[in-house]
Every structure is written in structure tokens, then in C-alpha cells.
Amino acid sequence: MSDMRLSRAHLETLPTADLIALADEYGIDIPENLNRRFIIGELLEAAEEWDEFEDDLEESDQLETADLPQTYNETVISAVLRNPVWLFVYWDVKKDHIVQIQKSSKVQTLSLRVAMFHRENPDVVADAFDVPITIDDRNRYVLLPAGFGFARVDLVLELEEDMHEVWASTGMIRLPHVSARLANPLPDTPVSPVLKLSGLPELLRTHYMNHRQSFF
């Protein structure tokens, strides 16, 4: 396709054979003995449509290559299941909340509070655990326990004296049914019979259940 922007003045200078050849380049079917004036009119119309198409393509390319902002200055949290036992959680924190932490004289930390439910009822929490995060974190994989039908993740600011603020929450996430063996693969740590009598296997199991996010 010619890169030249066609004009009536330029087309008027071309012989009829060149006009027909140019029309063929634009995919225009020219009947025999068609008046030059009509050929030029068809060419100008086709050229205008082609120029608009190229402009749209250029604009689309610019939009696709534009850098997305690192933050939209919103405090939001979302989660999607990567597979039946791993939940991918991602969030954003607006500048006001970041400043709140940085300027506070009290010790404040962030965490993901993962609440588990047997039914889609947010008032009846069957189990919950916290995953510590930093103010710079923006995503985290979370290992889910088995035996629950729903989960919800809250972005929580931990305050002093067991107080906290919920900054954002996901919706209720329906979980597929999986076996406890798949969701809670306890570390296979061999112990001697004497250590078994001491209660070490139960200690390991309790430690794993309370701190399982650090095992992966």
C-alpha cells in the first residue's frame, strides 16, 4: 500500500492506466470505460478510509504500550484460587493509609486475616489465621486448610492492645472440596520412639498448623 496521502490534485496528474493500477492496489474493482472522475472519487474515498484505519491502529498501539501506574491510590484487596489449596491474594494501599503508619508513634503492623467458613455466612467464623505482611508487599500466596466451604481475606492494620482496623476485605470465596491430606501436608519428620513419648510429633503438628504459611 502506498505511503503517500492521496489528493485530488495529484490524482488528476496521473494517466488512466496508473489510476486503475492504484485502484487495484486499494482493492477497488473498476469496470471498463469508467470515467476518470469516478475512478478518482473512488480512490479518494478508499484512501480516506485507509488513513482512518491506520490512525486507529496507531492509537491502539500507543494505548497497549502505555505504562500502567504502580498504584491507583485505593485500599482494596482481591483473591483468586490458584488451585484448590492455594489462594493468590493481591491488594493496594492508598497513600493516606501509608502515611498513617509512617507517622504513627505506636507500633503498627499489617497482616492478612484469613477467615474460614463452613457456610456462606460472614457472621459465623469457623477458623481464622493471620499472615504477616509489610507495607511494601502487594501480593501473597496463602495455603488454605481443608474442610471449609468458604474463605474471606481481610487487609488488617494491627494496633496495640489487641486492637485492629480492617482496611479492606475480599468477598466470600467458595472453595472446592479437597481432602485434609492434600490441604495440610504435614512435614514428614521421623522421630525416635522416645521422642514420640515426649509429645514431639504433636508439638510439630501444632507448630505447623499455627505457622504453616512459613513452611512454603
Side-chain angles (χ1 to χ4, degrees):
M1 189 68 65
S2 175
D3 292 333
M4 181 180 294
R5 298 274 179 167
L6 299 183
S7 66
R8 183 175 295 275
H10 170 69
L11 293 176
E12 292 285 359
T13 64
L14 299 179
T16 302
D18 289 349
L19 291 177
I20 295 175
L22 191 56
D24 184 64
E25 187 177 344
Y26 276 96
I28 303 173
D29 186 19
I30 301 298
E32 290 186 22
N33 302 320
L34 185 65
N35 188 286
R36 281 176 54 87
R37 186 172 67 254
F38 291 107
I39 299 176
I40 292 174
E42 290 290 333
L43 282 170
L44 291 174
E45 183 177 344
E48 183 179 358
E49 291 178 356
W50 178 256
D51 291 341
E52 291 177 355
F53 175 69
E54 286 188 325
D55 291 341
D56 290 342
L57 282 180
E58 183 177 352
E59 182 179 352
S60 176
D61 290 342
Q62 291 174 352
L63 290 175
E64 289 180 359
T65 57
D67 293 334
L68 293 175
Q70 293 184 345
T71 177
Y72 290 92
N73 198 28
E74 295 180 303
T75 299
V76 294
I77 185 169
S78 301
V80 292
L81 280 170
R82 181 178 183 272
N83 56 43
V85 298
W86 281 103
L87 187 68
F88 180 68
V89 186
Y90 56 100
W91 61 91
D92 195 7
V93 180
K94 65 182 179 181
K95 186 181 296 184
D96 290 347
H97 280 152
I98 296 176
V99 172
Q100 175 184 340
I101 290 180
Q102 293 173 339
K103 289 187 174 181
S104 176
S105 59
K106 300 179 180 180
V107 176
Q108 297 180 334
T109 58
L110 286 175
S111 65
L112 302 178
R113 181 155 298 170
V114 184
M116 311 302 299
F117 307 84
H118 290 301
R119 297 176 180 82
E120 195 173 6
N121 183 352
D123 298 326
V124 184
V125 179
D127 188 18
F129 59 92
D130 291 344
V131 180
I133 58 175
T134 71
I135 193 64
D136 297 321
D137 291 334
R138 287 297 178 268
N139 59 73
R140 182 67 59 87
Y141 278 103
V142 176
L143 177 63
L144 298 176
F148 300 97
F150 297 87
R152 188 192 68 222
V153 185
D154 302 328
L155 180 61
V156 175
L157 175 65
E158 303 285 355
L159 306 173
E160 293 182 345
E161 300 177 356
D162 295 328
M163 301 293 291
H164 68 272
E165 293 180 9
V166 177
W167 278 359
S169 300
T170 67
M172 297 290 281
I173 304 164
R174 183 182 293 274
L175 306 176
H177 175 74
V178 296
S179 69
R181 183 178 180 83
L182 177 62
N184 294 321
L186 295 177
D188 185 14
T189 305
V191 295
S192 67
V194 174
L195 289 178
K196 284 184 179 181
L197 292 174
S198 71
L200 180 60
E202 178 61 23
L203 179 63
L204 290 174
R205 190 193 72 81
T206 302
H207 178 72
Y208 174 79
M209 295 305 297
N210 292 332
H211 306 282
R212 53 186 175 270
Q213 302 302 322
S214 63
F215 279 76
F216 296 90

